[in-house]
Amino acid sequence: MSKSGYYVNANATDFIFYDYENSTITPGKMGNYVMGAPEAPALQTFENSYKPIHGYLAAIVCVFGVLANVLNIIVLTRKNMISSTNIILTGLAVSDGLTMAFYFPFALQMYVIHGISASPDRDTEANAKYTLTYAIASVILHSISIWLTVTLAVFRYVFIRFPRIGAQYCNIQRAKTAVISVAIVVTIVCIPNSISYEFKSQSIEPPANSSNMTSHPSLWWIDVRNSTHSDVVLQKFNFWVQAVLVKLLPCFLLTIFSVLLVRTMQNAENRRKKMMTKNSVADGETQPIGGSTSSSKRSRRSQRTTRMLLTVVILFLVTETPQGIMNLLSGLIQDFFHHIYTPLGDLLDILALINNGINFVLYCTMSKQFRDTFISIFCQCFPKMVEGRKLQTVTTTMVTEGL
């Protein structure tokens, strides 16, 4: 007897069906296919090798990722850290942290506790209900993270390219409005995905050597509604919404603004060097005169902040672009999802999870203000460390101002 179950990737709405009898996988059919994708034995071998360890690795990444995003929220919401940029980064930390929190029980149930093979113990009604909750919530939350990253890139570009306009329109209040607007609009856009699923179950015959021949355990899963013409239309509409609006469009925008940010940073650095040359002292030193030192310091601080945010944007772009392209190809090329995407699904998931939790490391290594605030909050039990850090900051400031 063959029965299909449902599995959803952390950051995609595509679906895979399990053959419970043979433990094989077949893809859900969608789109108008123009060609077929050949089998890829090497990818299948990779999937078989990686899948047994994916659940354990994902669970560890989720635990540390949730903790890291909680720390991000605590630090970024301190009074001295409040800014329009940090408001958006706080929203990003919330959505990333919740995405990983939802993935953690899913990884334990589907990979660790009951193994990777389908079984009545794993595929229970309660697990199917959680899988549905996870499938809906993860798509919404991750989509919010993607569009908040786009918002971050737009705010930063406007702020450094048009400082006066940025100071007027990219303020704290508008950043809060942007975060709330993104959350509301993305949730509305994801409604078709949220109503596309239904529960299914089937009793299975117990093994011939079973001592309890009267018990018929059930396998539960969630499936995409396709029983009516309206369901099919909704399914195709949802596919294009997710492929274009949730994946490809934000990746395209992130690419554009990444290029613009790099060019703007280069132009700003060139202008700063020209000003230093014009203001050089008569003996040939390249030290700015008058009050230009503080301006130069602010410029360098702004450059460091922009580099940090650009790193966040580029990491998101590198992680999301392959998924967006493969999501689209899955709906256009027959068996592409089965032969290409499915073997790489767990790898793409773990890369996305790592990206969701890595921002704390970036902030600590690239933002002095973040490090100092973190130390002042969490290192009160080490007063000597705090005092030493403050002394170092004061000394550095005095030396810099005296140059």
Side-chain angles (χ1 to χ4, degrees):
M1 168 183 6
S2 174
K3 191 57 201 151
S4 295
Y6 180 88
Y7 166 81
V8 62
N9 284 314
N11 305 310
T13 56
D14 304 286
F15 46 94
I16 308 169
F17 296 103
Y18 282 97
D19 184 323
Y20 281 99
E21 179 179 338
N22 302 313
S23 295
T24 58
I25 303 174
T26 57
K29 302 297 182 183
M30 61 174 70
N32 298 316
Y33 300 119
V34 295
M35 64 183 74
E39 293 187 10
L43 293 181
Q44 194 65 49
T45 300
F46 169 78
E47 180 189 21
N48 294 335
S49 301
Y50 176 68
K51 186 178 286 290
I53 66 174
H54 172 74
Y56 298 92
L57 182 59
I60 294 173
V61 171
C62 286
V63 170
F64 284 98
V66 170
L67 177 60
N69 280 292
V70 169
L71 295 177
N72 287 340
I73 295 170
I74 293 174
V75 175
L76 293 173
T77 53
R78 296 303 93 186
K79 187 175 181 179
N80 67 304
M81 294 290 292
I82 298 297
S83 67
S84 58
T85 296
N86 289 347
I87 292 294
I88 300 174
L89 290 178
T90 301
L92 185 62
V94 172
S95 56
D96 283 348
L98 288 176
T99 299
M100 303 181 82
F102 273 101
Y103 194 94
F104 180 71
F106 178 79
L108 292 181
Q109 179 71 10
M110 299 300 291
Y111 292 88
V112 178
I113 298 176
H114 300 292
I116 60 176
S117 300
S119 68
D121 291 332
R122 190 189 73 167
D123 301 289
T124 62
E125 180 180 7
N127 184 53
K129 291 179 178 179
Y130 181 79
T131 302
L132 177 60
T133 302
Y134 157 75
I136 294 172
S138 63
V139 170
I140 294 175
L141 290 169
H142 192 70
S143 301
I144 290 174
S145 293
I146 295 174
W147 279 102
L148 283 180
T149 307
V150 174
T151 304
L152 178 66
V154 172
F155 265 62
R156 194 61 191 175
Y157 172 71
V158 173
F159 188 81
I160 65 174
R161 180 65 179 84
F162 309 101
R164 293 184 179 180
I165 296 177
Q168 180 179 359
Y169 292 101
C170 298
N171 53 39
I172 293 176
Q173 186 57 45
R174 282 189 168 84
K176 293 179 180 178
T177 302
V179 171
I180 296 173
S181 299
V182 166
I184 293 175
V185 172
V186 167
T187 302
I188 294 174
V189 170
C190 290
I191 287 178
N193 176 72
S194 303
I195 62 176
S196 296
Y197 308 123
E198 63 181 351
F199 290 105
K200 287 188 178 181
S201 67
Q202 179 171 318
S203 298
I204 62 174
E205 295 291 338
N209 58 355
S210 175
S211 59
N212 188 358
M213 299 298 295
T214 60
S215 176
H216 293 266
S218 295
L219 298 173
W220 287 82
W221 68 97
I222 59 175
D223 200 353
V224 177
R225 300 178 187 271
N226 58 2
S227 57
T228 67
H229 177 69
S230 298
D231 291 338
V232 175
V233 172
L234 177 63
Q235 176 184 336
K236 292 185 178 181
F237 174 74
N238 178 55
F239 165 73
W240 287 107
V241 167
Q242 296 297 319
V244 176
L245 295 184
V246 175
K247 290 292 183 180
L248 295 181
L249 179 59
C251 287
F252 173 76
L253 294 176
L254 285 176
T255 301
I256 296 299
F257 281 103
S258 295
V259 173
L260 292 176
L261 278 170
V262 171
R263 291 183 59 183
T264 304
M265 288 175 60
Q266 291 175 341
N267 293 337
E269 182 65 16
N270 291 335
R271 288 196 302 269
R272 188 181 71 84
K273 290 181 179 179
K274 288 181 180 179
M275 290 184 63
M276 290 182 64
T277 302
K278 290 180 180 180
N279 294 329
S280 60
V281 291
D283 60 0
E285 294 180 2
T286 57
Q287 175 188 357
I289 62 174
S292 59
T293 302
S294 59
S295 176
S296 178
K297 288 172 57 181
R298 286 194 300 268
S299 176
R300 289 195 298 269
R301 188 183 307 117
S302 177
Q303 290 278 68
R304 288 195 299 268
T305 301
T306 303
R307 289 192 186 96
M308 180 190 73
L309 300 180
L310 185 60
T311 303
V312 173
V313 170
I314 291 177
L315 286 177
F316 233 104
L317 183 63
V318 170
T319 303
E320 297 302 322
T321 300
Q323 291 193 33
I325 295 174
M326 287 197 289
N327 282 351
L328 182 62
L329 295 179
S330 297
L332 299 178
I333 302 176
Q334 187 173 12
D335 292 329
F336 181 91
F337 190 76
H338 174 36
H339 294 154
I340 307 299
Y341 194 116
T342 297
L344 296 174
D346 290 334
L347 176 63
L348 294 175
D349 274 359
I350 196 65
L351 292 177
L353 291 172
I354 292 174
N355 182 56
N356 288 344
I358 202 173
N359 285 347
F360 175 77
V361 177
L362 296 179
Y363 302 158
C364 284
T365 55
M366 302 184 71
S367 173
K368 181 178 181 299
Q369 185 183 19
F370 186 94
R371 291 196 304 271
D372 291 344
T373 303
F374 175 81
I375 291 174
S376 66
I377 295 174
F378 295 101
C379 297
Q380 295 298 330
C381 53
F382 303 103
K384 292 184 178 180
M385 179 186 298
V386 177
E387 291 299 324
R389 186 71 181 179
K390 291 181 179 178
L391 179 60
Q392 180 184 2
T393 301
V394 172
T395 304
T396 302
T397 303
M398 292 176 63
V399 170
T400 303
E401 292 178 348
L403 290 177

